[in-house]
Amino acid sequence: MGRFKKNKGGNGYDTDASDSMSEISIDSSKNSVLSASSFRLKFGRKKAKKKSSSSSTSSSSSSRAATNAQRSTTTAADRDIKPKDRRPHTKTIGPGVVMATPALDSNKLMKDAKSRYNIGLVYLKTGDYAKAQENFEYSLYCHMQLSGHDSNTYGNDTIYTIAGVREKLGDCYVANEAVVDKFLASDHYEESCRLLKCVDPEDAHKNLTEMLERVEEKIKLLELRNTVPRNRRKPPTVIASSVRGIDRQTKVAFGDHPATVDVRGQTTSKSRKKKSSKKFRSNLLHNPLANGVGLISDFAQDFAHEVVDGIKVVVDVFDDSSDDEASGLSLEDEDWFETVMAHLERDNHRTAFKSLLSLKEEQRLMATVESRRKLAESLLKVADCSLEANKIKVANDAYEEAHAILKKDKHSGDIMKLALKGCIKSNKLRAKEMEGAQDYDSAISHRTKVYQFLDENNRTVPACQQQVKIAYLHAENDDYAKSVEALHAAIRRLHKGAKSVAYMASNRVKLLIVCHEMQAICYVKSKKWNDAVDQYDEVLPLILKKEGQGGKRYNSVLIRKSALLVMTGNYVMATPTINKYMKNAEHSNPDLIVDDLDHALALDTNAATHLKLKKVDKAIPVFEMKLAFVKTLPNNHQMKSDTMHKLGCLLANDNQLESALPLLDEALRTKKYVYDGNHKSVLETTWAVAATNHMLGNNDKALEHYSILLDNMANIEDMPVDAAVIQHSAGKLFFETGKAMKAVDTFRRALQGAKTSDNPQLESEITLNLANALSGQEKMDEAMELYDQLLNTKSLKKTKISFTTRFNKCLLLIKMGEVDEAKEMLHKMEENPSSMANHVRGSIFLTLGNLALLNDSIDEPMECFDLALDENADGDVSTLVYTKKSIAMAQLDVGEPDKAILTLEDVLEDISYSDADGKSVNLLKAEIWNSLARVYRKRGDLQQAIDFARLALQTYKTDLGEKNPITLRNLTNLQLLLLEEAEELVDYDDAKSISDAATYELEDALDAFESLDDPWTYRIDMATLKTNMGFVAVWQGKPKKARKLVCQIEEIELPLEHFLIHRIGVLGEHLEELEKTGGIKYDDVEKPQKRSNRKSKGRRQQSQKKSKRR
């Protein structure tokens, strides 16, 4: 004993030999004597070398030889690892005997395990596989000493660590070319895979799952490489805490460490087993050291026989079918339940649950009530622990399994109630999880289970509540038919057992109201308006009886019912229904009896009923009331913008354009703040702003908004406004502002859209405007083809569009020189008694009067003009102005300028007294001022003519814009008047300054026409401008500039009979004279004049004879 204590530094064992023996690690592939002897000789060699005899040396040599021989035959998964260094927790007692110290140096073991593993990784990386294997084996040995051999006691981290070491050992054997038998690597891989499969994937973390997949892949690859059949002995039996048939004393004596034995020996009898065990314990207690070696050797030899006997006992237990043994749980079953509890302690809930399921599959365990109850209790414990750990899916499965087991027994008692309660709770939680993940089908499945559990226990109201939630989930899936079906089932269930609603419990009535309301909403979503109204008719009496007429719920349903009646077109019923709420709301002032959104819907519905009944004057105050209400709400941008949009459109349709535009502008700004700039709601309001600006004459702003619409609306689906309508409006604006080519292109796209949307009325209107635009572009043939297409359409016969088309065709014929055919068509339309022709009848007489002026007569034109005035019975200002203007021009042509002035002044007075205002009235005034300028010029009052021309030009610039063709033409006329004024001046400097300024304005006008990017449409205007500028250049003595202008004019294609042909010839003559003489006098140059408004060749000849020369 003294020698033993000296070797351990004076810290020897004070306990007896039996306590020391309980800590011995038994070798799994050899008997205990060989294991202890080789262990002592291999790891205690340095110290034993100084003190042992020659016999010990020889014993050591033989032990090493036995160890080397055994290494080639045993598998890596079954043998213990024997590192070179001495075990830090053992002591050598004597030859072949090793005993463990009472306290393990766990910190050193953990440190050695980590360091040796890292060193092994380095060696494995560098290709030194022998050293890598040695370090990995030592690391595995340290882990075994720390955690034991029973994998059931391992935590998840320990499993992951040991499996990793096993995997690396397998890698060493695979990579080491010196090792021919690769089945050793397969052993390590399989052991690693077995350890990893101890934990269910649901309980394992991500790294463990990935590692399992990696190891399985390596096993597959290794199986492909091993083409030689594997010659292995039968796998040993692992004796652990879960192994069957070993008595408690054996388990306590040797701990939970597994021991692998050779089963080829003969089994011993029970008496031998008991005798040897008794002898071993007795001798060990009385003489722990003297007989240590012999006792250990004897015990190790008998150990294999005891194990085989235990295995036989286990087999006998399963073969025995006696009722006594089947009535209770076996020792193995108890161990199995302990293993399940161990999994729960490590939070491996799914693993524990699967372990219990494997017990359920055994028939003998499910044969008795006691065993089933024990299994159900364990399942409930797993479920409760899983629920606490927030593993709701595992808890749900466990509760349902426990419920299914207990359902077989009629008298389960309180435990059955706990299982049922757990099933309901876990399914509710699972349903909420699925709803949060928007997996509504799975949520419906769990809600259905809850409904079935509740319905089986006759809990009507909770079961119907689940049906309502199921219906809601079906609605979330847009399956409104199934939602209605679930609600019908709930309603039938609520009515079950009650004769009528009067005898129904209050909680049932409350749920019944919810069901009817939800059914109405589902019918609304399915666009079954009448069915929804029926549901509201069912629920209104229930709510009235429960809450009264002033209740919030009653009035909300009242509002929704009235809105549905408006949708169905039943305005007769909708009006009193919504009025009933409005009266209730007046009595409840200042507090609302419904929610804000319901009150806003009520105002919308009230306004809609007025609009459908064409009571616009009553609808506008309702929308104003709604706007004032919405402004008081928080976060009201969306609703406020929508209300302002509707009110602005309503005011615009009521011709209150000045009041409508600010509302629409603010609505557009708010919508751009709330939505994306390309949102369909933003584009809808943009169109309203563009159309209102167009009607007000703000053409620049209108063009800006229309351009935005045309660029963005092609990418928007479900536009609130038909794209063809927007394109049609934009095309009309482009045509009015002189953008003829762009107008034609826009009309063509609008026509295609109208054909696609199958809107024949809109299609005919667009076709007519397209023909008018083509006529303005002087594309006569194409325009005439479209006019004929409209006139040949049977559905348009004797309609307003038909007569408008005939009138426009007559204007085109006059433009083409077919005056007689045009007059014939005009007379036929004038004689047509149809009321549809009344809207063009006044224009017909006006056109006939202008044509009669070509015959140099005054009676026939005046008669036509009087008939035109008579047709203007409704007092249309525009028709009146154009008719009287034509009368004044006729008076001017017959040499009566004073009468013409009086007629035009009378027209100005009529315009002033009319109720019309805005852009159209300003443009009419500009027309009259322009006509007065012409009359005063012909009368010889040049200054008055200039004043009226400037007044008209300013109006055109304001209302049409400076780049509008009409504005440019009037600018040219004013400059010609100024040039005439300059010609009359005696002072050369004054005349030159005026002529230079006029020339500058004419050049700007020419650049503006060219910027319109439609040279063909405005070729007459540009030719007229260049001709006048050529006369100015000749008058100023600039032959080079004049010649350049003449060359440009010659490139322009003009009609052969146009009056400009003569003027261009005169300009050429004066230019040739100027080039010959080197200069001419002012009075030798023809005064520049504009003749663009001449209607006939006779009038042009008469005006040319009256031209004055200086």
Side-chain angles (χ1 to χ4, degrees):
M1 286 296 289
R3 179 182 176 185
F4 176 73
K5 291 181 180 180
K6 184 178 180 181
N7 290 339
K8 299 301 292 180
N11 189 17
Y13 282 97
D14 297 331
T15 58
D16 57 9
S18 62
D19 293 334
S20 299
M21 286 300 301
S22 66
E23 297 293 330
I24 293 178
S25 176
I26 306 297
D27 192 287
S28 60
S29 59
K30 304 178 294 293
N31 57 47
S32 58
V33 176
L34 178 60
S35 175
S37 176
S38 60
F39 177 83
R40 179 183 62 79
L41 294 174
K42 187 170 185 177
F43 296 100
R45 184 171 55 188
K46 291 183 179 180
K47 293 186 178 182
K49 189 173 182 180
K50 299 178 181 179
K51 301 180 182 181
S52 61
S53 62
S54 60
S55 61
S56 64
T57 304
S58 61
S59 176
S60 175
S61 301
S62 62
S63 178
R64 282 197 299 272
T67 303
N68 293 333
Q70 184 70 19
R71 181 179 299 172
S72 61
T73 58
T74 57
T75 62
D78 297 332
R79 61 196 173 105
D80 283 339
I81 310 303
K82 300 174 177 57
K84 294 182 178 180
D85 296 337
R86 181 178 177 181
R87 298 184 186 180
H89 65 292
T90 59
K91 286 186 178 182
T92 302
I93 303 175
V97 180
V98 180
M99 297 186 63
T101 58
L104 296 175
D105 192 354
S106 59
N107 292 333
K108 188 176 186 306
L109 286 173
M110 181 60 68
K111 183 178 178 181
D112 289 346
K114 292 180 179 179
S115 61
R116 286 303 185 95
Y117 179 77
N118 293 331
I119 294 171
L121 289 177
V122 174
Y123 282 127
L124 182 62
K125 194 75 173 177
T126 56
D128 193 346
Y129 303 114
K131 290 185 179 180
Q133 176 184 345
E134 181 180 333
N135 283 279
F136 285 138
E137 287 177 345
Y138 189 85
S139 176
L140 179 60
Y141 160 76
C142 293
H143 284 299
M144 289 297 181
Q145 296 302 321
L146 285 169
S147 304
H149 294 265
D150 188 4
S151 61
N152 292 325
T153 61
Y154 293 168
N156 291 352
D157 293 335
T158 304
I159 289 175
Y160 181 76
T161 303
I162 296 177
V165 177
R166 291 280 189 183
E167 181 189 5
K168 295 304 176 184
L169 277 170
D171 293 343
C172 288
Y173 280 111
V174 170
N176 193 352
E177 296 179 356
V179 179
V180 180
D181 187 4
K182 300 300 180 182
F183 294 115
L184 297 175
S186 179
D187 289 335
H188 283 290
Y189 286 148
E190 289 173 359
E191 181 65 15
S192 176
C193 188
R194 185 190 68 80
L195 289 172
L196 294 173
K197 287 182 178 179
C198 291
V199 182
D200 191 85
E202 187 174 338
D203 297 325
H205 51 73
K206 183 179 179 181
N207 293 338
L208 193 144
T209 307
E210 292 177 354
M211 184 177 179
L212 177 60
E213 294 175 356
R214 186 174 67 248
V215 173
E216 288 178 342
E217 186 66 24
K218 290 180 180 180
I219 292 174
K220 291 179 182 178
L221 294 175
L222 195 59
E223 289 175 354
L224 294 176
R225 293 180 58 182
N226 292 336
T227 56
V228 181
R230 185 171 182 178
N231 186 15
R232 297 179 57 184
R233 60 186 177 84
K234 185 178 178 180
T237 305
V238 178
I239 306 299
S241 61
S242 61
V243 176
R244 307 167 182 174
I246 300 180
D247 58 276
R248 292 279 182 180
Q249 294 178 355
T250 305
K251 183 178 178 183
V252 170
F254 293 95
D256 290 337
H257 305 295
T260 305
V261 299
D262 188 357
V263 297
R264 290 174 294 180
Q266 297 180 354
T267 58
T268 55
S269 62
K270 295 183 180 181
S271 60
R272 180 182 175 183
K273 173 182 174 182
K274 293 180 180 180
K275 182 178 179 180
S276 60
S277 299
K278 183 176 180 182
K279 180 181 178 181
F280 170 77
R281 289 193 294 270
S282 175
N283 292 334
L284 188 63
L285 290 173
H286 290 85
N287 194 4
L289 293 178
N291 299 321
V293 176
L295 290 177
I296 292 174
S297 176
D298 294 338
F299 180 79
Q301 292 176 358
D302 295 336
F303 183 75
H305 300 289
E306 296 178 4
V307 172
V308 173
D309 291 343
I311 294 173
K312 183 177 180 181
V313 171
V314 173
V315 174
D316 293 339
V317 169
F318 280 95
D319 290 339
D320 195 353
S321 59
S322 62
D323 296 336
D324 296 336
E325 291 182 0
S327 61
L329 295 175
S330 66
L331 189 61
E332 176 208 0
D333 299 330
E334 292 289 348
D335 292 340
W336 197 284
F337 283 115
E338 290 179 6
T339 302
V340 171
M341 295 304 109
H343 285 306
L344 286 182
E345 291 176 0
R346 297 195 298 271
D347 291 336
N348 293 340
H349 302 90
R350 176 62 69 179
T351 308
F353 173 66
K354 285 189 175 181
S355 300
L356 291 174
L357 285 184
S358 63
L359 284 178
K360 180 185 173 183
E361 295 174 357
E362 298 187 14
Q363 296 296 330
R364 74 171 175 79
L365 189 62
M366 298 297 294
T368 62
V369 176
E370 181 184 353
S371 59
R372 289 196 298 269
R373 185 181 181 89
K374 175 69 174 178
L375 182 58
E377 288 176 350
S378 300
L379 285 169
L380 288 178
K381 187 170 184 180
V382 171
D384 293 338
C385 294
S386 301
L387 204 60
E388 291 177 1
N390 203 27
K391 294 183 179 180
I392 302 172
K393 186 177 180 181
V394 181
N396 184 28
D397 295 340
Y399 279 128
E400 290 183 353
E401 285 292 337
H403 181 266
I405 293 171
L406 294 171
K407 199 173 181 180
K408 297 179 181 179
D409 302 326
K410 297 182 179 179
H411 305 289
S412 299
D414 295 337
I415 189 173
M416 182 64 176
K417 294 180 181 179
L418 293 175
L420 180 62
K421 185 178 179 181
C423 288
I424 294 172
K425 182 178 180 179
S426 61
N427 275 291
K428 285 182 178 180
L429 292 174
R430 284 288 292 161
K432 290 180 180 179
E433 278 188 349
M434 297 300 102
E435 290 166 11
Q438 296 185 352
D439 185 2
Y440 299 119
D441 292 332
S442 300
I444 290 170
S445 176
H446 288 289
R447 292 286 183 189
T448 304
K449 289 182 181 179
V450 176
Y451 167 75
Q452 292 171 352
F453 287 132
L454 293 171
D455 189 55
E456 289 174 1
N457 288 270
N458 293 323
R459 298 179 63 184
T460 302
V461 175
C464 291
Q465 288 175 346
Q466 294 303 314
Q467 282 284 66
V468 171
K469 292 179 179 179
I470 291 170
Y472 173 79
L473 293 174
H474 281 305
E476 287 290 333
N477 271 339
D478 295 334
D479 194 348
Y480 301 110
K482 289 186 178 179
S483 180
V484 169
E485 184 180 348
L487 292 169
H488 272 306
I491 292 172
R492 288 194 301 269
R493 187 76 171 81
L494 289 170
H495 279 287
K496 187 177 180 180
K499 295 181 179 179
S500 64
V501 180
Y503 296 97
M504 194 177 291
S506 60
N507 58 348
R508 289 197 181 191
V509 174
K510 184 177 180 180
L511 194 57
L512 189 64
I513 292 172
V514 173
C515 291
H516 283 298
E517 284 188 287
M518 287 185 66
Q519 271 191 318
I521 294 172
C522 289
Y523 283 131
V524 169
K525 294 289 186 179
S526 303
K527 297 183 179 180
K528 298 179 180 180
W529 318 118
N530 294 324
D531 292 336
V533 171
D534 293 340
Q535 291 300 316
Y536 282 132
D537 289 337
E538 289 282 344
V539 77
L540 275 172
L542 299 176
I543 301 175
L544 182 63
K545 182 178 179 181
K546 188 175 181 62
E547 298 181 0
Q549 189 171 354
K552 175 181 178 180
R553 199 164 196 171
Y554 177 80
N555 285 277
S556 296
V557 174
L558 206 61
I559 293 169
R560 295 168 190 171
K561 179 185 175 181
S562 61
L564 285 173
L565 290 171
V566 171
M567 292 290 295
T568 57
N570 192 353
Y571 306 112
V572 178
M573 291 294 296
T575 302
T577 305
I578 194 61
N579 287 339
K580 185 183 295 185
Y581 164 73
M582 298 303 292
K583 290 180 181 178
N584 293 338
E586 290 177 2
H587 294 312
S588 66
N589 267 342
D591 297 327
L592 293 175
I593 55 178
V594 295
D595 293 334
D596 296 334
L597 296 180
D598 286 338
H599 183 66
L601 177 61
L603 294 174
D604 273 337
T605 305
N606 193 17
T609 56
H610 291 313
L611 289 175
K612 293 297 182 180
L613 297 176
K614 297 182 179 180
K615 298 178 181 179
V616 181
D617 55 334
K618 292 185 177 181
I620 291 175
V622 175
F623 271 115
E624 291 174 345
M625 186 190 309
K626 181 187 175 184
L627 181 60
F629 167 71
V630 168
K631 287 181 177 179
T632 63
L633 301 178
N635 301 323
N636 60 354
H637 300 295
Q638 184 175 351
M639 191 180 296
K640 183 177 72 173
S641 62
D642 182 68
T643 305
M644 288 189 295
H645 171 82
K646 292 178 180 178
L647 180 58
C649 292
L650 197 59
L651 291 172
N653 290 330
D654 197 38
N655 205 26
Q656 301 182 37
L657 302 175
E658 298 292 344
S659 301
L661 187 58
L663 289 171
L664 293 173
D665 284 334
E666 187 177 355
L668 181 59
R669 287 193 298 270
T670 307
K671 286 188 176 183
K672 286 182 178 179
Y673 171 76
V674 176
Y675 306 106
D676 184 357
N678 293 330
H679 193 271
K680 60 183 181 181
S681 180
V682 176
L683 297 180
E684 180 187 16
T685 306
T686 303
W687 177 71
V689 173
T692 306
N693 277 300
H694 185 192
M695 289 187 288
L696 284 172
N698 303 328
N699 292 336
D700 292 337
K701 291 184 178 179
L703 285 172
E704 178 184 353
H705 291 296
Y706 272 124
S707 298
I708 294 173
L709 281 170
L710 295 177
D711 292 339
N712 297 332
M713 69 181 182
N715 301 324
I716 303 299
E717 297 180 357
D718 301 330
M719 273 287 293
V721 184
D722 191 354
V725 175
I726 297 175
Q727 290 166 344
H728 186 206
S729 301
K732 290 191 288 186
L733 178 61
F734 291 144
F735 185 70
E736 291 174 9
T737 54
K739 297 178 174 57
M741 290 182 64
K742 199 167 185 178
V744 170
D745 180 64
T746 307
F747 282 138
R748 290 188 191 278
R749 285 189 289 165
L751 183 60
Q752 187 64 34
K755 289 179 179 179
T756 304
S757 60
D758 193 18
N759 191 341
Q761 178 67 24
L762 180 61
E763 181 181 349
S764 59
E765 293 177 4
I766 296 172
T767 304
L768 178 59
N769 284 318
L770 176 59
N772 296 337
L774 291 170
S775 176
Q777 275 193 311
E778 307 220 355
K779 296 181 179 180
M780 313 296 186
D781 296 335
E782 192 175 355
M784 188 64 70
E785 182 180 352
L786 291 175
Y787 286 140
D788 292 337
Q789 177 185 335
L790 289 172
L791 293 175
N792 294 329
T793 304
K794 293 182 179 180
S795 60
L796 298 177
K797 296 292 184 181
K798 296 183 179 181
T799 60
K800 287 185 177 181
I801 292 180
S802 176
F803 285 103
T804 305
T805 304
R806 290 180 183 276
F807 177 74
N808 290 338
K809 182 179 178 180
C810 291
L811 297 180
L812 180 58
L813 289 171
I814 295 170
K815 193 174 184 179
M816 296 172 63
E818 303 292 338
V819 179
D820 295 336
E821 184 180 354
K823 290 174 69 174
E824 183 181 356
M825 290 183 63
L826 289 171
H827 283 298
K828 285 183 179 180
M829 281 193 294
E830 178 263 326
E831 294 171 358
N832 195 314
S834 175
S835 60
M836 295 296 175
N838 291 339
H839 72 288
V840 295
R841 207 178 298 277
S843 300
I844 291 172
F845 288 124
L846 189 60
T847 305
L848 289 172
N850 289 328
L851 290 175
L853 284 174
L854 299 176
N855 298 327
D856 294 333
S857 64
I858 190 64
D859 295 333
E860 184 180 354
M862 295 302 294
E863 182 181 355
C864 292
F865 294 148
D866 290 338
L867 290 173
L869 289 175
D870 294 338
E871 289 296 331
N872 189 27
D874 56 352
D876 180 58
V877 177
S878 179
T879 304
L880 177 66
V881 168
Y882 284 112
T883 303
K884 289 191 174 183
K885 175 189 171 184
S886 298
I887 294 173
M889 292 300 101
Q891 292 170 345
L892 180 63
D893 286 341
V894 298
E896 297 178 353
D898 294 335
K899 288 185 178 181
I901 291 173
L902 291 175
T903 303
L904 292 173
E905 289 178 350
D906 185 38
V907 173
L908 288 174
E909 187 176 355
D910 292 338
I911 294 174
S912 301
Y913 284 111
S914 68
D915 296 332
D917 56 358
K919 168 191 170 182
S920 59
V921 173
N922 294 335
L923 293 177
L924 290 175
K925 289 180 179 180
E927 285 279 346
I928 302 303
W929 289 329
N930 198 10
S931 299
L932 283 170
R934 293 175 58 191
V935 173
Y936 276 109
R937 176 183 173 278
K938 192 168 184 179
R939 186 183 179 186
D941 192 347
L942 195 58
Q943 188 59 46
Q944 281 282 71
I946 292 173
D947 292 340
F948 278 112
R950 282 175 173 166
L951 191 59
L953 178 61
Q954 185 62 38
T955 303
Y956 285 129
K957 285 183 177 181
T958 303
D959 291 336
L960 298 180
E962 294 184 356
K963 302 298 183 181
N964 190 278
I966 298 176
T967 305
L968 296 175
R969 293 185 187 113
N970 281 271
L971 177 64
T972 303
N973 291 335
L974 176 60
Q975 304 313 315
L976 294 178
L977 292 174
L978 292 173
L979 286 172
E980 288 186 22
E981 182 185 21
E983 284 182 313
E984 295 177 357
L985 295 176
V986 178
D987 189 355
Y988 173 79
D989 293 333
D990 293 341
K992 187 177 184 303
S993 62
I994 294 175
S995 65
D996 289 342
T999 303
Y1000 177 77
E1001 293 291 341
L1002 290 174
E1003 289 175 350
D1004 283 348
L1006 181 61
D1007 293 338
F1009 272 115
E1010 290 177 349
S1011 67
L1012 294 176
D1013 199 19
D1014 193 358
W1016 175 260
T1017 303
Y1018 304 110
R1019 67 189 190 282
I1020 304 296
D1021 294 290
M1022 290 190 287
T1024 304
L1025 268 170
K1026 291 180 179 180
T1027 302
N1028 290 326
M1029 291 170 63
F1031 277 111
V1032 175
V1034 171
W1035 178 66
Q1036 291 177 342
K1038 299 178 179 179
K1040 291 183 179 180
K1041 183 177 182 180
R1043 177 58 64 185
K1044 181 179 178 180
L1045 290 168
V1046 169
C1047 292
Q1048 292 177 356
I1049 294 170
E1050 290 175 351
E1051 294 176 357
I1052 299 175
E1053 182 180 351
L1054 297 174
L1056 296 177
E1057 298 181 358
H1058 201 279
F1059 77 96
L1060 276 177
I1061 301 296
H1062 174 70
R1063 285 183 53 79
I1064 294 169
V1066 174
L1067 176 61
E1069 293 175 1
H1070 287 290
L1071 179 57
E1072 290 177 359
E1073 184 179 355
L1074 178 63
E1075 290 174 341
K1076 290 178 182 179
T1077 60
I1080 58 174
K1081 297 181 181 179
Y1082 293 150
D1083 53 358
D1084 292 334
V1085 182
E1086 182 184 11
K1087 183 192 302 183
Q1089 297 180 7
K1090 176 137 168 72
R1091 304 284 191 263
S1092 61
N1093 294 327
R1094 301 303 184 190
K1095 299 274 185 187
S1096 66
K1097 183 177 179 180
R1099 293 178 63 187
R1100 290 197 300 271
Q1101 292 175 352
Q1102 183 180 2
S1103 63
Q1104 289 171 5
K1105 291 178 183 179
K1106 295 180 180 180
S1107 297
K1108 297 181 180 179
R1109 299 179 180 273
R1110 291 186 181 275

